[in-house]
Amino acid sequence: MNLVWYRNDLRIHAHRALQEALQAEGPVTAVYFICEDQWDSHGVAPLRRWYVLHSLNELGEQLAQRGITLHVVDAGDFSQVPQKLASLVREHGVERIFCTREYPLNERRRDEAVAAEMDKQGVAIRGFDDSVLVPPTTLRTGKGTPYTVFSAYKKRWDVWLEQHFSIPGLPGSMAAKSAKFAGKAVVDKALDRVSVPASLTDLWTPGEQAAAQQLEYFVGRHLGQYRKHRDFPSLTATSSLSAALSAGTLSPASCFHAARQAMSDAGARDGAACWIGELAWRDFYRQIMAQYPRLSWGRAFRPETDLLEWDNDDDLFQAWCEGRTGYPLVDAAMRQLVATGWMHNRLRMVTAMFLSKHLWQDWRRGEDFFMQHLIDGDFAANNGGWQWSASTGTDAVPYFRVFNPVRQSQRFDAEGKFIAYWVPELKALDNKTIHEPWKQPLLVPDYPAPIVPHAGVRERVTESFKGAKQAYDQLQGVDA
Ligand SMILES: Cc1cc2nc3c(=O)[nH]c(=O)nc-3n(C[C@H](O)[C@H](O)[C@H](O)COP(=O)(O)OP(=O)(O)OC[C@H]3O[C@@H](n4cnc5c(N)ncnc54)[C@H](O)[C@@H]3O)c2cc1C
């Protein structure tokens, strides 16, 4: 018996583990472990849980139609997985396990424990790197170290894919006879424990089929204009595929393949190349996470920045969470996040930089808050984005990069359409005043004045980062 162990790869297409399992000798079965304790400890948003569980139900049906039974096990605690897997293996006489590799530290440790146990039982495990385009330890600098600067990484990434990219097709050998989806009751019970308002779930469609349709729609309608439009949050210009990519209802290989095909149309070439660059960012942060375990312990990528002394001001933090900072674009973005479970990429940068630089709150508080709300909450991308914005991470530009929230607003929402939608208190303002409503306070009695001034932020940030660096160098000197 061959077992496909599903994780964040809830699909049947472009799935090497499934394909290889079907090509191996003997029947195939599948399993997924629900670990709510793990979700709790990572603060995973209820909306994301809902997305994953519904996608799992669809996957179970899809597999059943092809003669494969998906078992869903409520493992509760993550540490129980190796033992529960071992009993499933014994019960079904499994000889080989096929899975898509995961790179966060806990997952790698779990897999090591499983490998040791399976080795004793004589069960072979084969892992595949389908959650990324380029496996995380493949590309190295001339010195043999991981790439930490995106532009240099991207050059090698392009070359590697040119030589090695392939996409697994849907296995032809899937049995015609149907099987039973054995896990639906377990999934439905878990769904009963997830409470998400319909106002949120109505906005999203879980599952592989919806993800494939969304990819097709995006490539056909928006990909060509992606570079030109992607920074403007009032436009529907980006793919909205992040939830699908992070739960694996869609593979990055399918995205890359579709974008490359679209490049045969000269009009779409530039947009497609730019979008492929975002898939490279996704891989970049995954390889950073895989190779710097300190990130998984909540530490900064730049060690000296762990010495920064953040203010811990609950009132400021709460105002940011609730979209009451007095900066219209920041507030509109935070309200979009809470109301939809998603936020536009430019606004993720604007709001993250605002929390960490203007409000001088620890970026980890923002990282957690994003995780608690995002449907696409993904440790590598979220941590990477937060540390980039807070200048504790891989950004090649130094810490004095501070976005001016008013200039960002004037540049990327010039007509104020996005702001007017999410901050209706401001919708009557003209497209000049809407970016700086404090200049006309009588017109907006219900909207707060800025909670902190923009002036002086850069100086404060610069001083604090320099202080942390000096303290770090001294500590290093003492240690030496
Ligand atoms: C502070 C911060 C937090 C973030 N948290 C997450 C997160 O938890 N999960 C997540 O998937 N993305 C995260 N991102 C990256 C990015 O904002 C989202 O992937 C993007 O907005 C999703 O929208 P889309 O699918 O329309 O993206 P598109 O613009 O269509 O991009 C296509 C895909 O590329 C990937 N991608 C795009 N930009 C990035 C990026 N900067 N880093 C890594 N991957 C990227 C995503 O998988 C995305 O779906 C974060 C960025 C920042 C600055």
Side-chain angles (χ1 to χ4, degrees), residues 184-348:
K184 185 155 170 37
V186 181
V187 178
D188 288 346
K189 258 195 180 163
L191 270 167
D192 285 345
R193 293 190 289 270
V194 179
S195 160
V196 199
S199 59
L200 275 172
T201 56
D202 284 353
L203 302 172
W204 299 96
T205 311
E208 178 174 8
Q209 296 183 44
Q213 279 166 13
Q214 175 67 14
L215 174 64
E216 198 182 328
Y217 167 79
F218 169 71
V219 169
R221 291 286 291 274
H222 298 295
L223 183 66
Q225 299 298 308
Y226 182 77
R227 189 189 296 278
K228 214 163 123 201
H229 292 163
R230 70 186 170 130
D231 270 320
F232 300 98
S234 65
L235 302 177
T236 305
T238 69
S239 69
S240 290
L241 284 169
S242 46
L245 279 162
S246 66
T249 50
L250 180 69
S251 81
S254 299
C255 294
F256 184 74
H257 180 67
R260 276 228 306 214
Q261 282 201 322
M263 284 171 114
S264 59
D265 169 2
R269 202 164 293 156
D270 190 45
C274 182
W275 195 61
I276 285 175
E278 300 306 323
L279 300 175
W281 271 108
R282 187 176 174 277
D283 274 12
F284 177 69
Y285 283 138
R286 277 177 156 62
Q287 59 102 32
I288 291 284
M289 175 195 63
Q291 297 182 86
Y292 292 89
R294 64 174 178 268
L295 302 185
S296 300
W297 303 326
R299 305 265 298 278
F301 176 77
R302 290 180 190 277
E304 72 276 15
T305 63
D306 267 334
L307 297 181
L308 289 167
E309 287 177 20
W310 304 100
D311 287 346
N312 264 326
D313 185 319
D314 289 341
D315 290 341
L316 289 181
F317 181 66
Q318 212 46 40
W320 176 83
C321 295
E322 291 170 11
R324 293 188 285 104
T325 68
Y327 285 94
L329 190 64
V330 173
D331 293 345
M334 293 307 294
R335 296 183 195 188
Q336 179 187 39
L337 172 65
V338 174
T340 69
W342 184 86
M343 190 197 284
H344 187 278
N345 180 58
R346 169 131 311 259
L347 303 182
R348 295 190 201 204

